[in-house]
Amino acid sequence: YNFSGNDAVTLYASKQKTAIFKDIKAESGTSREINPLVLKLSVKKGDAELTTLAPLTLKRRTGHSIFAVGAGKTTKAVIVENAVSR
């Protein structure tokens, strides 16, 4: 989710050198399924890295939301594990 003051941000997997989500518009979000793995993530605006996150271990049957807040150089991101009821 992009709740930052940036018009669009990209969630980027640093080690894999690829965008997971590109150009997430302000006040919006997106989702997708990803196979289990460990990711080192960053939030970028264009080629500029705004913030990095702690490594995230993705596991089967779990979900995470990542929220970008702030603007420009004050942009921060947090990871929240989603609660899943079965």
Side-chain angles (χ1 to χ4, degrees), residues 35-86:
N35 289 330
L37 67 145
V38 177
L39 293 172
K40 181 180 177 197
L41 301 170
S42 62
V43 175
K44 292 184 166 191
K45 181 176 181 181
D47 290 333
E49 185 173 86
L50 300 175
T51 189
T52 59
L53 294 103
L56 174 62
T57 302
L58 299 176
K59 302 174 192 170
R60 293 188 189 282
R61 299 180 190 208
T62 63
H64 295 81
S65 294
I66 301 168
F67 298 89
V69 296
K73 292 184 178 187
T74 64
T75 300
K76 301 291 180 211
V78 295
I79 301 170
V80 178
E81 186 171 347
N82 299 337
V84 178
S85 300
R86 297 198 197 289

